[in-house]
Amino acid sequence: MTTGSLKPSKEKKSRKSKQVVVLDEKTPLLPTKKDGVDGGFDEFDGASFSGAVFNLSTTIVGAGIMALPATMKVLGLVVGIAMIIFMAFLTDASIELLLRHSRTAKSVSYAGLMGDAFGKYGRMLIQLCVIINNIGVLVVYMIILGDVLSGTTSSGIHHAGVLEAWFGQHWWNGRFFVLLITTLVVFAPLASLKRIDSLGYTSALSVALAIVFLVVTVGITVFKLISGTVLMPRLFPDVTDLTSFLNLFTVVPVLVTAFICHYNVHSIDNELEDNTQIKAVVRTALSLCSSVYVLTSLFGFLLFGDATLDDVLANFDTDLGIPYSSLLNDVVRVSYAAHLMLVFPIVFYPLRLNLDGLLFPSARRLNSDNLRFASLSIGLIAVVFLGANFIPSIWDAFQFTGATAAVCIGFIFPAAVTLRDRYGIATKRDKILCIFMIVLAVFSNAVAIYSDAYALFKKNPTQRE
């Protein structure tokens, strides 16, 4: 179902209010009731509190977790962990503003709220940002899978992938071929499912696999701490000149991307049996995910120190100096690779919906048009596949999406809606917070982009005669 793709005359019963609701551009990206075979909606009792927390946590925790240990290498443990906690609080504040204004405007989707505040172009802008952000995230997923299964080379050092370690180097376990097979065998079938509730079991399994990754990583680090083979990590950033200071800001897009979940908040809110619980759902999910992020960052950086790569999974290719090192390396990498494979369709689902809403705002529902559904799915999967083969690292992908679309979705748009304040509900404190969020987001990401561009220029200086 696309945002704005339903005819204005079509009416259905709302599960919560049982009142007639007009389905227009404010209709949620995900339906509050399951599509029936006759094109209507089948009644269901609504999502539980724990189910909502699970869904939102799945939206938050993804590939960003793999890059967070590398942010500790830049910021040091103290500042790095403090920044993760700060971003969690800032995310909670931005979602609270989003939901409060949505309630007042009676908007049941992010696109609907932006449309209410800024008209057609506001709705189109948020759809475009979700498209850019989610494509970037999916590209990162594929890059990580390529690193894990086929290996990667960083600073002239080759880190062998799982398949390479098991079978040696062959054409069939090269990066391109492995990603092609994964796309055709795993991603394409899962992305072909027309209802997101069809992915419930795969989502549950994906969370279990992520927990396996975290538990094994913590266990390895604790063992090495007890045996005294872990060096004391850097607690604070190493700032010696202007370049090293500017380099600190390159972690901002990574931290922003790690907490972006705003495009699914309305959908989860719409499905709640008691939607007054949404604030508690958000805070519980953010607390859970922040704990996972802190633990992964702490123990990942403790384990590898300054040798931590942009994708920490790529570090699990050497002898860790513990019993069964090779087996544990494989467990860590394979479990998280499988996790990403199963999370892929969860991120792909809103990507396809938003692209359809942007390109075909007046067309019939996407679920009922097989040709349009297949064309959009194939086209998007092809774009993600090509991006994963040509973008060198997850850090580069995070820098682009985090500094552009993600920061708009997470902070700039909620702040802009609050400052627009069509219904006069924003307090002075809200407006001060929003100005702070916009200034911080724009300044931090502008410096991050400048720092990346400057580093790239120094790395590839213009050759002169």
Side-chain angles (χ1 to χ4, degrees), residues 145-146 149-151 161-182:
L145 288 172
L149 299 177
S150 299
V162 172
L163 296 178
E164 183 181 335
W166 289 351
F167 305 106
Q169 288 187 339
H170 300 281
W171 65 268
W172 51 265
N173 60 17
R175 189 184 194 89
F176 181 88
F177 188 77
V178 166
L179 289 182
L180 178 62
I181 295 301
T182 304

Side-chain angles (χ1 to χ4, degrees), residues 404-415:
T404 53
V407 74
C408 290
I409 295 170
F411 303 107
I412 293 178
F413 290 165

Side-chain angles (χ1 to χ4, degrees), residues 64 67-76 79-84 87 234 237 244-259 310 395 398-399 402-403 444-445 447-449 451-452:
L68 287 176
T71 67
M72 301 298 109
K73 185 170 65 172
V74 177
L75 297 177
V79 178
I81 291 174
M83 284 299 298
I84 291 174
M87 288 301 299
R234 188 170 61 255
S244 60
F245 173 74
L246 294 177
N247 187 53
L248 300 180
F249 290 89
T250 61
V251 306
V252 174
V254 178
L255 290 168
V256 169
T257 305
F259 282 97
D310 294 346
W395 197 267
F398 277 138
Q399 289 298 300
S444 298
N445 284 280
V447 175
I449 292 172
S451 181
D452 283 333

Side-chain angles (χ1 to χ4, degrees), residues 226-377:
I226 294 174
S227 62
T229 56
V230 171
L231 299 177
M232 183 64 184
R234 188 170 61 255
L235 299 180
F236 297 94
D238 183 16
V239 179
T240 57
D241 52 24
L242 179 61
T243 301
S244 60
F245 173 74
L246 294 177
N247 187 53
L248 300 180
F249 290 89
T250 61
V251 306
V252 174
V254 178
L255 290 168
V256 169
T257 305
F259 282 97
I260 293 302
C261 60
H262 302 62
Y263 54 83
N264 263 349
V265 168
H266 287 87
S267 302
I268 292 169
D269 181 32
N270 295 332
E271 293 179 352
L272 269 174
E273 173 65 16
D274 178 8
N275 66 0
T276 61
Q277 295 180 324
I278 186 62
K279 184 179 292 187
V281 166
V282 171
R283 290 183 175 175
T284 303
L286 285 173
S287 299
L288 174 63
C289 295
S290 299
S291 301
V292 172
Y293 283 167
V294 168
L295 288 173
T296 303
S297 303
L298 172 63
F299 288 99
F301 187 48
L302 277 173
L303 191 57
F304 299 111
D306 287 336
T308 304
L309 299 174
D310 294 346
D311 172 9
V312 74
L313 278 182
N315 283 107
F316 288 93
D317 71 325
T318 57
D319 185 0
L320 298 174
I322 62 173
Y324 307 106
S325 173
S326 178
L327 174 62
L328 291 174
N329 276 336
D330 290 345
V331 169
V332 167
R333 292 193 289 176
V334 172
S335 64
Y336 209 82
H339 162 78
L340 292 181
M341 289 182 187
L342 298 177
V343 173
F344 186 98
I346 296 293
V347 179
F348 188 85
Y349 193 86
L351 167 61
R352 180 173 51 211
L353 286 171
N354 278 273
L355 181 60
D356 185 64
L358 185 65
L359 298 179
F360 310 105
S362 301
R364 59 177 174 159
R365 290 191 300 122
L366 181 60
N367 284 0
S368 61
D369 190 331
N370 291 333
L371 178 61
R372 202 166 88 243
F373 183 91
S375 299
L376 289 175
S377 300

